mmCIF file of all heavy atoms in Angstrom:
data_model
loop_
_atom_site.group_PDB
_atom_site.id
_atom_site.type_symbol
_atom_site.label_atom_id
_atom_site.label_comp_id
_atom_site.label_asym_id
_atom_site.label_seq_id
_atom_site.Cartn_x
_atom_site.Cartn_y
_atom_site.Cartn_z
ATOM 1 N N ARG D 12 2.954 -11.490 -9.845
ATOM 2 C CA ARG D 12 3.270 -11.176 -11.242
ATOM 3 C C ARG D 12 3.088 -12.373 -12.165
ATOM 4 O O ARG D 12 2.976 -12.209 -13.373
ATOM 5 C CB ARG D 12 4.731 -10.714 -11.347
ATOM 6 C CG ARG D 12 5.149 -9.655 -10.376
ATOM 7 C CD ARG D 12 4.566 -8.304 -10.685
ATOM 8 N NE ARG D 12 4.813 -7.874 -12.061
ATOM 9 C CZ ARG D 12 4.537 -6.648 -12.501
ATOM 10 N NH1 ARG D 12 3.985 -5.764 -11.683
ATOM 11 N NH2 ARG D 12 4.779 -6.318 -13.751
ATOM 12 N N ASP D 13 3.083 -13.575 -11.605
ATOM 13 C CA ASP D 13 3.137 -14.788 -12.425
ATOM 14 C C ASP D 13 1.747 -15.166 -12.927
ATOM 15 O O ASP D 13 0.825 -15.383 -12.144
ATOM 16 C CB ASP D 13 3.710 -15.942 -11.598
ATOM 17 C CG ASP D 13 4.219 -17.070 -12.456
ATOM 18 O OD1 ASP D 13 3.476 -17.503 -13.360
ATOM 19 O OD2 ASP D 13 5.351 -17.511 -12.221
ATOM 20 N N PRO D 14 1.553 -15.273 -14.262
ATOM 21 C CA PRO D 14 0.241 -15.664 -14.800
ATOM 22 C C PRO D 14 -0.226 -17.028 -14.299
ATOM 23 O O PRO D 14 -1.432 -17.293 -14.251
ATOM 24 C CB PRO D 14 0.482 -15.679 -16.315
ATOM 25 C CG PRO D 14 1.665 -14.789 -16.531
ATOM 26 C CD PRO D 14 2.521 -14.958 -15.322
ATOM 27 N N ALA D 15 0.714 -17.893 -13.900
ATOM 28 C CA ALA D 15 0.345 -19.236 -13.449
ATOM 29 C C ALA D 15 -0.493 -19.199 -12.174
ATOM 30 O O ALA D 15 -1.207 -20.159 -11.876
ATOM 31 C CB ALA D 15 1.599 -20.084 -13.223
ATOM 32 N N VAL D 16 -0.415 -18.106 -11.408
ATOM 33 C CA VAL D 16 -1.208 -17.992 -10.187
ATOM 34 C C VAL D 16 -2.161 -16.803 -10.281
ATOM 35 O O VAL D 16 -2.550 -16.206 -9.267
ATOM 36 C CB VAL D 16 -0.311 -17.866 -8.933
ATOM 37 C CG1 VAL D 16 0.432 -19.167 -8.697
ATOM 38 C CG2 VAL D 16 0.656 -16.698 -9.061
ATOM 39 N N GLY D 17 -2.518 -16.460 -11.515
ATOM 40 C CA GLY D 17 -3.469 -15.376 -11.711
ATOM 41 C C GLY D 17 -2.863 -14.001 -11.583
ATOM 42 O O GLY D 17 -3.579 -13.011 -11.432
ATOM 43 N N GLY D 18 -1.536 -13.913 -11.621
ATOM 44 C CA GLY D 18 -0.880 -12.618 -11.601
ATOM 45 C C GLY D 18 -0.823 -12.031 -12.994
ATOM 46 O O GLY D 18 -1.234 -12.660 -13.975
ATOM 47 N N GLY D 19 -0.302 -10.830 -13.087
ATOM 48 C CA GLY D 19 -0.215 -10.217 -14.397
ATOM 49 C C GLY D 19 0.428 -8.856 -14.331
ATOM 50 O O GLY D 19 0.869 -8.399 -13.263
ATOM 51 N N PRO D 20 0.507 -8.175 -15.469
ATOM 52 C CA PRO D 20 1.145 -6.861 -15.514
ATOM 53 C C PRO D 20 0.445 -5.866 -14.601
ATOM 54 O O PRO D 20 -0.778 -5.838 -14.509
ATOM 55 C CB PRO D 20 0.997 -6.446 -16.984
ATOM 56 C CG PRO D 20 0.714 -7.701 -17.729
ATOM 57 C CD PRO D 20 -0.021 -8.593 -16.784
ATOM 58 N N SER D 21 1.225 -5.072 -13.919
ATOM 59 C CA SER D 21 0.680 -4.044 -13.042
ATOM 60 C C SER D 21 1.774 -3.022 -12.806
ATOM 61 O O SER D 21 2.920 -3.380 -12.531
ATOM 62 C CB SER D 21 0.228 -4.647 -11.708
ATOM 63 O OG SER D 21 -0.088 -3.641 -10.785
ATOM 64 N N THR D 22 1.424 -1.753 -12.929
ATOM 65 C CA THR D 22 2.388 -0.707 -12.603
ATOM 66 C C THR D 22 2.732 -0.756 -11.122
ATOM 67 O O THR D 22 3.880 -0.656 -10.721
ATOM 68 C CB THR D 22 1.817 0.678 -12.960
ATOM 69 O OG1 THR D 22 1.603 0.733 -14.369
ATOM 70 C CG2 THR D 22 2.768 1.781 -12.559
ATOM 71 N N VAL D 23 1.706 -0.919 -10.292
ATOM 72 C CA VAL D 23 1.897 -0.986 -8.841
ATOM 73 C C VAL D 23 2.406 -2.373 -8.452
ATOM 74 O O VAL D 23 1.799 -3.385 -8.776
ATOM 75 C CB VAL D 23 0.574 -0.677 -8.106
ATOM 76 C CG1 VAL D 23 0.686 -1.005 -6.620
ATOM 77 C CG2 VAL D 23 0.187 0.785 -8.304
ATOM 78 N N LEU D 24 3.535 -2.412 -7.750
ATOM 79 C CA LEU D 24 4.075 -3.670 -7.240
ATOM 80 C C LEU D 24 3.443 -4.039 -5.904
ATOM 81 O O LEU D 24 3.293 -5.213 -5.585
ATOM 82 C CB LEU D 24 5.596 -3.567 -7.073
ATOM 83 C CG LEU D 24 6.415 -3.195 -8.306
ATOM 84 C CD1 LEU D 24 7.891 -3.077 -7.942
ATOM 85 C CD2 LEU D 24 6.209 -4.207 -9.414
ATOM 86 N N GLY D 25 3.110 -3.027 -5.139
ATOM 87 C CA GLY D 25 2.495 -3.247 -3.835
ATOM 88 C C GLY D 25 2.059 -1.928 -3.260
ATOM 89 O O GLY D 25 2.452 -0.851 -3.729
ATOM 90 N N CYS D 26 1.233 -1.990 -2.233
ATOM 91 C CA CYS D 26 0.710 -0.778 -1.601
ATOM 92 C C CYS D 26 0.633 -0.999 -0.099
ATOM 93 O O CYS D 26 0.122 -2.026 0.356
ATOM 94 C CB CYS D 26 -0.665 -0.437 -2.165
ATOM 95 S SG CYS D 26 -1.385 1.079 -1.491
ATOM 96 N N GLN D 27 1.182 -0.047 0.654
ATOM 97 C CA GLN D 27 1.129 -0.106 2.112
ATOM 98 C C GLN D 27 0.082 0.883 2.608
ATOM 99 O O GLN D 27 0.022 2.030 2.132
ATOM 100 C CB GLN D 27 2.505 0.233 2.698
ATOM 101 C CG GLN D 27 3.557 -0.807 2.368
ATOM 102 C CD GLN D 27 4.963 -0.238 2.335
ATOM 103 O OE1 GLN D 27 5.166 0.956 2.177
ATOM 104 N NE2 GLN D 27 5.951 -1.112 2.478
ATOM 105 N N TYR D 28 -0.724 0.456 3.549
ATOM 106 C CA TYR D 28 -1.737 1.322 4.142
ATOM 107 C C TYR D 28 -1.087 2.026 5.340
ATOM 108 O O TYR D 28 -1.235 1.607 6.495
ATOM 109 C CB TYR D 28 -2.948 0.507 4.575
ATOM 110 C CG TYR D 28 -3.561 -0.348 3.480
ATOM 111 C CD1 TYR D 28 -4.395 -1.423 3.786
ATOM 112 C CD2 TYR D 28 -3.324 -0.096 2.128
ATOM 113 C CE1 TYR D 28 -4.977 -2.216 2.787
ATOM 114 C CE2 TYR D 28 -3.894 -0.872 1.121
ATOM 115 C CZ TYR D 28 -4.712 -1.932 1.460
ATOM 116 O OH TYR D 28 -5.280 -2.711 0.473
ATOM 117 N N GLU D 29 -0.366 3.075 5.051
ATOM 118 C CA GLU D 29 0.504 3.702 6.038
ATOM 119 C C GLU D 29 -0.213 4.084 7.333
ATOM 120 O O GLU D 29 0.296 3.852 8.432
ATOM 121 C CB GLU D 29 1.161 4.951 5.436
ATOM 122 C CG GLU D 29 2.162 4.658 4.330
ATOM 123 C CD GLU D 29 3.437 4.082 4.881
ATOM 124 O OE1 GLU D 29 4.281 4.827 5.373
ATOM 125 O OE2 GLU D 29 3.570 2.837 4.836
ATOM 126 N N SER D 30 -1.386 4.703 7.212
ATOM 127 C CA SER D 30 -2.096 5.158 8.405
ATOM 128 C C SER D 30 -2.721 4.007 9.181
ATOM 129 O O SER D 30 -3.167 4.187 10.317
ATOM 130 C CB SER D 30 -3.163 6.190 8.031
ATOM 131 O OG SER D 30 -3.956 5.750 6.953
ATOM 132 N N SER D 31 -2.735 2.804 8.587
ATOM 133 C CA SER D 31 -3.196 1.623 9.312
ATOM 134 C C SER D 31 -2.052 0.919 10.030
ATOM 135 O O SER D 31 -2.272 0.165 10.972
ATOM 136 C CB SER D 31 -3.859 0.631 8.351
ATOM 137 O OG SER D 31 -4.993 1.191 7.732
ATOM 138 N N VAL D 32 -0.830 1.180 9.575
ATOM 139 C CA VAL D 32 0.337 0.507 10.150
ATOM 140 C C VAL D 32 0.851 1.268 11.365
ATOM 141 O O VAL D 32 1.048 0.698 12.446
ATOM 142 C CB VAL D 32 1.447 0.347 9.095
ATOM 143 C CG1 VAL D 32 2.664 -0.360 9.711
ATOM 144 C CG2 VAL D 32 0.941 -0.427 7.893
ATOM 145 N N PHE D 33 1.061 2.563 11.210
ATOM 146 C CA PHE D 33 1.576 3.383 12.304
ATOM 147 C C PHE D 33 0.648 4.572 12.540
ATOM 148 O O PHE D 33 0.070 5.121 11.602
ATOM 149 C CB PHE D 33 2.989 3.890 11.990
ATOM 150 C CG PHE D 33 4.023 2.808 11.893
ATOM 151 C CD1 PHE D 33 4.645 2.538 10.683
ATOM 152 C CD2 PHE D 33 4.366 2.061 13.000
ATOM 153 C CE1 PHE D 33 5.600 1.541 10.583
ATOM 154 C CE2 PHE D 33 5.322 1.054 12.919
ATOM 155 C CZ PHE D 33 5.937 0.794 11.705
ATOM 156 N N SER D 34 0.538 4.975 13.794
ATOM 157 C CA SER D 34 -0.341 6.091 14.141
ATOM 158 C C SER D 34 0.241 7.417 13.654
ATOM 159 O O SER D 34 1.443 7.538 13.421
ATOM 160 C CB SER D 34 -0.536 6.137 15.655
ATOM 161 O OG SER D 34 0.715 6.299 16.311
ATOM 162 N N ASP D 35 -0.632 8.410 13.505
ATOM 163 C CA ASP D 35 -0.249 9.790 13.194
ATOM 164 C C ASP D 35 0.454 9.921 11.846
ATOM 165 O O ASP D 35 1.311 10.786 11.664
ATOM 166 C CB ASP D 35 0.631 10.373 14.303
ATOM 167 C CG ASP D 35 0.675 11.895 14.260
ATOM 168 O OD1 ASP D 35 -0.316 12.502 13.812
ATOM 169 O OD2 ASP D 35 1.701 12.481 14.649
ATOM 170 N N ARG D 36 0.098 9.066 10.905
ATOM 171 C CA ARG D 36 0.638 9.194 9.548
ATOM 172 C C ARG D 36 -0.236 10.091 8.674
ATOM 173 O O ARG D 36 0.151 10.451 7.570
ATOM 174 C CB ARG D 36 0.751 7.820 8.875
ATOM 175 C CG ARG D 36 1.976 6.960 9.139
ATOM 176 C CD ARG D 36 3.039 7.583 9.939
ATOM 177 N NE ARG D 36 4.269 6.810 9.966
ATOM 178 C CZ ARG D 36 5.140 6.827 10.953
ATOM 179 N NH1 ARG D 36 4.902 7.552 12.018
ATOM 180 N NH2 ARG D 36 6.261 6.145 10.902
ATOM 181 N N ALA D 37 -1.423 10.440 9.152
ATOM 182 C CA ALA D 37 -2.353 11.266 8.396
ATOM 183 C C ALA D 37 -3.136 12.139 9.362
ATOM 184 O O ALA D 37 -3.252 11.806 10.552
ATOM 185 C CB ALA D 37 -3.302 10.387 7.580
ATOM 186 N N PRO D 38 -3.690 13.263 8.904
ATOM 187 C CA PRO D 38 -4.526 14.089 9.784
ATOM 188 C C PRO D 38 -5.742 13.307 10.276
ATOM 189 O O PRO D 38 -6.107 12.270 9.708
ATOM 190 C CB PRO D 38 -4.948 15.249 8.873
ATOM 191 C CG PRO D 38 -3.930 15.275 7.771
ATOM 192 C CD PRO D 38 -3.521 13.849 7.563
ATOM 193 N N ALA D 39 -6.388 13.802 11.311
ATOM 194 C CA ALA D 39 -7.566 13.140 11.880
ATOM 195 C C ALA D 39 -8.623 12.933 10.798
ATOM 196 O O ALA D 39 -8.944 13.845 10.036
ATOM 197 C CB ALA D 39 -8.136 13.984 13.020
ATOM 198 N N GLY D 40 -9.136 11.701 10.721
ATOM 199 C CA GLY D 40 -10.165 11.371 9.756
ATOM 200 C C GLY D 40 -9.662 11.084 8.358
ATOM 201 O O GLY D 40 -10.454 10.718 7.470
ATOM 202 N N ALA D 41 -8.369 11.216 8.133
ATOM 203 C CA ALA D 41 -7.789 10.993 6.804
ATOM 204 C C ALA D 41 -6.973 9.702 6.795
ATOM 205 O O ALA D 41 -6.682 9.119 7.845
ATOM 206 C CB ALA D 41 -6.906 12.169 6.405
ATOM 207 N N VAL D 42 -6.594 9.246 5.611
ATOM 208 C CA VAL D 42 -5.772 8.043 5.468
ATOM 209 C C VAL D 42 -4.649 8.313 4.467
ATOM 210 O O VAL D 42 -4.763 9.186 3.604
ATOM 211 C CB VAL D 42 -6.597 6.818 5.014
ATOM 212 C CG1 VAL D 42 -7.617 6.447 6.062
ATOM 213 C CG2 VAL D 42 -7.260 7.067 3.672
ATOM 214 N N LEU D 43 -3.586 7.539 4.610
ATOM 215 C CA LEU D 43 -2.424 7.659 3.724
ATOM 216 C C LEU D 43 -2.061 6.290 3.180
ATOM 217 O O LEU D 43 -1.911 5.330 3.941
ATOM 218 C CB LEU D 43 -1.234 8.241 4.491
ATOM 219 C CG LEU D 43 0.066 8.404 3.700
ATOM 220 C CD1 LEU D 43 -0.097 9.450 2.599
ATOM 221 C CD2 LEU D 43 1.224 8.784 4.630
ATOM 222 N N LEU D 44 -1.912 6.183 1.872
ATOM 223 C CA LEU D 44 -1.424 4.979 1.214
ATOM 224 C C LEU D 44 -0.058 5.273 0.607
ATOM 225 O O LEU D 44 0.254 6.428 0.276
ATOM 226 C CB LEU D 44 -2.378 4.527 0.095
ATOM 227 C CG LEU D 44 -3.859 4.370 0.424
ATOM 228 C CD1 LEU D 44 -4.602 3.823 -0.791
ATOM 229 C CD2 LEU D 44 -4.070 3.468 1.622
ATOM 230 N N ARG D 45 0.725 4.223 0.430
ATOM 231 C CA ARG D 45 2.031 4.367 -0.212
ATOM 232 C C ARG D 45 2.216 3.235 -1.196
ATOM 233 O O ARG D 45 2.263 2.064 -0.806
ATOM 234 C CB ARG D 45 3.154 4.350 0.838
ATOM 235 C CG ARG D 45 4.501 4.779 0.281
ATOM 236 C CD ARG D 45 5.556 4.757 1.376
ATOM 237 N NE ARG D 45 6.187 3.471 1.467
ATOM 238 C CZ ARG D 45 7.520 3.270 1.462
ATOM 239 N NH1 ARG D 45 8.332 4.303 1.355
ATOM 240 N NH2 ARG D 45 8.007 2.074 1.563
#
């Protein structure tokens, strides 16, 4: 968030790649983000 390190305003604070972290979070061939 800090402009001193190239951060800035963003609605999204962070995003987890759910189907990359734990198995069976999405149907076969699909992905889930949070």
Side-chain angles (χ1 to χ4, degrees):
R12 311 288 307 189
D13 199 311
V16 292
S21 170
T22 297
V23 169
L24 303 177
C26 182
Q27 294 153 339
Y28 305 161
E29 292 287 280
S30 49
S31 298
V32 180
F33 295 114
S34 59
D35 199 29
R36 276 354 190 208
V42 296
L43 179 66
L44 309 184
R45 192 179 89 129

